[in-house]
């Protein structure tokens, strides 16, 4: 008997309706569309005006149910990766359970910032591989706008709100599912990207509010240097240690923090950019949501197909970073939902426009 | 390859500029079309190619091709 593996058997995502463009930001802080686009690849991001992270997650999971026909009371475990929980406790998982009536589920939140989704995915996969559970829901959701200082141009241009969800189930077919992961953590990086206030170290007070300690602090340059190397190295490592090369990879699904980090990772893996999922232009960095948001959009558009070899990789606060290798098994929808037709059509053209604009010449692998 | 030639080669590749523009007085940002992140990546490339560490306070002072060549020569004890 082959080893029991976990595979993704349903996906869904949600982005709020309100769009905040670079031009809107020009009116709020001293910045420019040109600066933001050339440094990061971001053109616009979504903002949740009313509601919390759980509301983003609930919409993403509802879509997963619509896409798959799975019922709420079939879910056994719910893991929510987020750095913007509705509140410290109860967990966002508990809030979501109540809102969706996931009667049979138990669950918890997982905090690993931008690596949150891949950490949660592998954590969820363990429950399947152990043989103890058959349906584990893994969500990445963040309302970053709740911890962004919209007077700080260093950070406010980067982040957005979104959620993505995947369902894990066992598969006996050794060809498919989650094959391997490589994870790292280096706590010495904590000081370069963090939110100082609100926890037990600096509990909320007039002072923490006055000192803006409830917002993201980031040393962008320091993070950029380690993220470029970290994400590229771990992505290359997982490919090599499975006896594969860039040619065997159908999709790189990188955390969407900065287009320049993404292209550097692709280059290091010898991957053409046509094999890299990119939607940072429309959503910015949505922290735990970036990877499931990509998976869901590309799957709904029929671009991510059964049999595809996929590498997901992320780098984030902690520092935490890592990569997951899987072979996709979920058949595509017979035809794209009408509400996604527009972004499906634009997907390729927008991406190449973006890459062209940054004058990034991806000579590798040709 | 000597340090100067190697530095120039790295700059040509990284910034996609023609070799004749890579003269000692050329500024990465003002003359060679680099932005702030390109200069970060360029220094990272020097670190990798020459097997050295460049502290941030040094990196900030490397603004021209000549700065880079002099810094690396000094660092590698060939000044
Ligand atoms: C954030 C990031 C785009 C900034 O780019 P950078 O080139 O490092 O920018 P710096 O912070 O060095 O700032 C360079 C200049 O641009 C300015 N600047 C910063 N943000 C700006 C903005 N939005 N608009 C205009 N100018 C801006 C700075 O004030 C600075 O000006 P100065 O030289 O006059 O002081 C980049 O560092 C980055 O992407 N880092 C990684 C972030 C990341 O991935 N984080 C998440 C990991 S999960």
């Amino acid at each position: 008997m082959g080893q029991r593996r976990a595979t993704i058997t349903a996906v869904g995502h949600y982005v709020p309706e309100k769009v905040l463009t670079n031009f809107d930001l020009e009116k709020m802080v001293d910045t420019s569309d040109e600066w933001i686009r050339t440094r990061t690849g971001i053109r616009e991001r979504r903002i949740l005006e009313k509601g919390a992270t759980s509301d983003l997650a609930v919409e993403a999971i509802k879509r997963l149910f619509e896409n798959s026909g799975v019922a709420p009371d079939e879910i056994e475990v719910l893991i929510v990766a987020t750095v913007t929980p509705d509140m410290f406790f109860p967990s966002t998982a508990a809030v979501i359970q109540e809102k969706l009536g996931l009667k049979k589920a138990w669950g918890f939140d997982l905090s690993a910032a931008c690596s949150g989704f891949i950490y949660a995915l592998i954590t969820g996969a363990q429950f399947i591989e152990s043989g103890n559970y058959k349906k584990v829901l893994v969500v990445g959701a963040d309302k970053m706008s709740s911890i962004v200082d919209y007077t700080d141009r260093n950070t406010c241009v980067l982040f957005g709100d979104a959620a993505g969800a995947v369902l894990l189930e066992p598969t006996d077919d050794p060809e498919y599912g989650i094959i391997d992961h490589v994870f790292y953590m280096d706590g010495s990086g904590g000081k370069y990207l963090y939110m100082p206030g609100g926890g037990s170290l600096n509990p909320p007070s007039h002072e923490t509010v006055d000192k803006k300690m409830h917002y993201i602090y980031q040393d962008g340059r320091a993070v950029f240097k380690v993220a470029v190397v970290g994400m590229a190295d771990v992505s290359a490592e997982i490919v090599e240690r499975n006896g594969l090369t860039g040619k065997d990879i159908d999709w790189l699904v990188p955390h969407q923090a900065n287009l320049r980090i993404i292209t550097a990772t692709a280059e290091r893996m010898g991957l053409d950019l046509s094999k890299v999922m990119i939607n940072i232009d429309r959503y910015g960095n949505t922290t735990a949501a970036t990877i499931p948001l990509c998976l869901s959009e590309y799957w709904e558009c029929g671009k991510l197909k059964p049999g595809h070899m996929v590498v997901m990789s992320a780098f984030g606060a902690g520092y935490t970073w890592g990569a997951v290798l899987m072979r996709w098994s979920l058949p595509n929808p017979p035809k794209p939902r009408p509400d996604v037709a527009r972004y499906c059509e634009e997907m390729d053209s927008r991406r190449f426009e973006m890459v062209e604009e940054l004058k990034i010449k991806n000579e590798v692998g040709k | 390859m000597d340090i100067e030639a190697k530095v120039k080669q790295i700059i040509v590749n990284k910034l996609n500029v023609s070799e004749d523009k890579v003269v000692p007085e050329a500024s990465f940002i003002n003359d060679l079309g680099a932005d702030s992140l390109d200069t970060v990546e360029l220094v990272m490339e020097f670190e990798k190619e020459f097997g050295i560490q460049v502290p941030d306070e040094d990196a900030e002072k490397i603004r021209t091709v000549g700065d880079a060549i002099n810094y690396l020569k000094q660092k590698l004890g060939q000044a």
Side-chain angles (χ1 to χ4, degrees):
Chain A
M1 213 188 91
Q3 193 212 333
R4 181 199 298 262
R5 267 201 190 142
T7 194
I8 293 176
T9 56
V11 294
H13 68 276
Y14 175 73
V15 294
E17 268 168 29
K18 181 174 163 65
V19 177
L20 185 69
T21 66
N22 291 351
F23 299 103
D24 297 328
L25 285 164
E26 285 180 354
K27 293 175 205 137
M28 298 159 66
V29 290
D30 180 15
T31 189
S32 69
D33 173 56
E34 199 265 340
W35 193 97
I36 302 170
R37 270 191 292 130
T38 55
R39 296 311 196 288
T40 70
I42 302 167
R43 295 174 178 204
E44 56 190 48
R45 66 287 291 141
R46 300 299 181 98
I47 305 295
L48 183 67
E49 291 184 286
K50 256 177 82 181
T53 295
S54 65
D55 297 305
L56 296 166
V58 160
E59 292 304 320
I61 298 168
K62 277 189 189 160
R63 188 166 180 129
L64 176 147
F65 289 151
E66 271 172 38
N67 283 342
S68 63
V70 171
D73 61 4
E74 291 178 59
I75 304 302
E76 296 169 317
V77 183
L78 169 63
I79 308 176
V80 182
T82 186
V83 290
T84 53
D86 287 21
M87 48 189 98
F88 267 163
F89 67 90
S91 67
T92 310
V95 177
I96 294 167
Q97 182 208 30
E98 165 63 14
K99 285 183 178 171
L100 283 170
L102 309 179
K103 291 193 197 71
K104 262 175 44 192
W106 64 279
F108 54 92
D109 293 0
L110 187 152
S111 168
C114 297
S115 307
F117 177 76
I118 57 170
Y119 273 30
L121 185 71
I122 294 304
T123 304
Q126 310 300 308
F127 291 117
I128 302 280
E129 286 163 14
S130 69
N132 290 326
Y133 295 93
K134 292 204 169 63
K135 281 195 168 64
V136 176
L137 196 52
V138 177
V139 182
D142 270 302
K143 185 188 175 186
M144 296 307 289
S145 62
S146 67
I147 55 169
V148 163
D149 176 1
Y150 285 96
T151 64
D152 175 14
R153 69 174 183 180
N154 288 296
T155 51
C156 75
V157 303
L158 303 172
F159 296 98
D161 304 340
V166 304
L167 183 65
L168 289 172
E169 291 187 76
T171 170
D172 290 326
D173 188 336
E175 293 290 312
Y176 293 98
I178 295 171
I179 298 164
D180 195 14
H181 70 275
V182 180
F183 286 174
Y184 293 104
M185 182 161 78
D186 176 4
S188 70
K191 54 186 173 292
Y192 302 109
L193 177 52
Y194 67 114
M195 188 170 86
S200 54
L201 179 63
N202 301 299
S205 66
H206 288 293
E207 195 194 343
T208 61
V209 172
D210 290 342
K211 287 188 171 162
K212 300 193 165 201
M213 289 165 76
H214 300 277
Y215 292 129
I216 297 168
Y217 166 82
Q218 171 167 262
D219 178 341
R221 185 162 295 202
V223 176
F224 183 83
K225 281 186 79 167
V226 284
V228 164
V229 176
M231 225 166 90
D233 282 355
V234 77
S235 306
E237 182 184 349
I238 201 164
V239 170
E240 280 158 26
R241 83 173 201 177
N242 283 279
L244 305 172
T245 70
K247 288 195 183 63
D248 302 306
I249 304 305
D250 297 291
W251 286 112
L252 170 67
V253 193
H255 170 56
Q256 314 274 308
N258 185 318
L259 187 56
R260 310 263 291 247
I261 299 176
I262 295 173
T263 51
T265 303
E267 206 167 299
R268 173 82 160 73
M269 293 173 74
L271 271 192
D272 191 86
L273 283 170
S274 60
K275 291 179 165 189
V276 183
M277 293 192 189
I278 301 172
N279 59 18
I280 189 171
D281 57 320
R282 282 174 292 140
Y283 306 129
N285 182 351
T286 58
T287 306
T290 57
I291 289 175
L293 181 56
C294 275
L295 290 174
S296 182
E297 280 199 338
Y298 277 72
W299 176 80
E300 283 189 349
C301 293
K303 291 186 178 294
L304 171 58
K305 296 187 177 127
H308 277 170
M309 194 63 98
V310 175
V311 172
M312 308 173 209
S313 56
F315 189 98
Y319 297 127
T320 52
W321 71 106
V324 172
L325 179 71
M326 83 168 287
R327 194 186 279 280
W328 196 255
S329 56
L330 177 61
N332 297 101
K335 64 175 191 232
R337 304 161 58 115
D339 51 336
V340 303
R342 198 177 66 96
Y343 73 61
C344 292
E345 257 170 45
E346 289 177 354
M347 211 170 238
D348 286 331
S349 58
R350 284 187 77 137
R351 184 168 61 190
F352 289 115
E353 204 180 297
M354 214 173 8
V355 169
E356 197 48 33
E357 187 174 277
L358 286 183
K359 297 192 198 72
I360 287 160
K361 307 226 175 5
N362 189 39
E363 302 294 347
V364 192
K366 276 184 196 154
Chain B
M1 206 190 290
D2 68 355
I3 292 177
E4 189 164 334
K6 198 164 163 186
V7 167
K8 285 186 174 170
Q9 194 58 51
I10 292 169
I11 296 168
V12 165
N13 288 341
K14 188 79 217 160
L15 300 180
N16 267 314
V17 287
S18 64
E19 215 164 330
D20 53 302
K21 289 208 173 126
V22 185
V23 291
E25 55 278 9
S27 148
F28 299 126
I29 291 183
N30 298 327
D31 303 316
L32 301 179
D35 71 16
S36 48
L37 286 180
D38 290 317
T39 61
V40 174
E41 288 176 286
L42 197 54
V43 169
M44 290 172 72
E45 208 61 32
F46 294 146
E47 290 180 323
K48 198 173 83 192
E49 291 296 319
F50 292 99
I52 52 159
Q53 291 287 326
V54 181
D56 283 348
E57 54 272 24
D58 292 353
E60 275 167 28
K61 290 185 205 124
I62 304 176
R63 301 217 171 101
T64 65
V65 175
D67 290 346
I69 293 168
N70 291 337
Y71 179 81
L72 288 163
K73 278 187 175 165
Q74 218 161 47
K75 189 96 179 175
L76 299 164
Q78 293 185 25

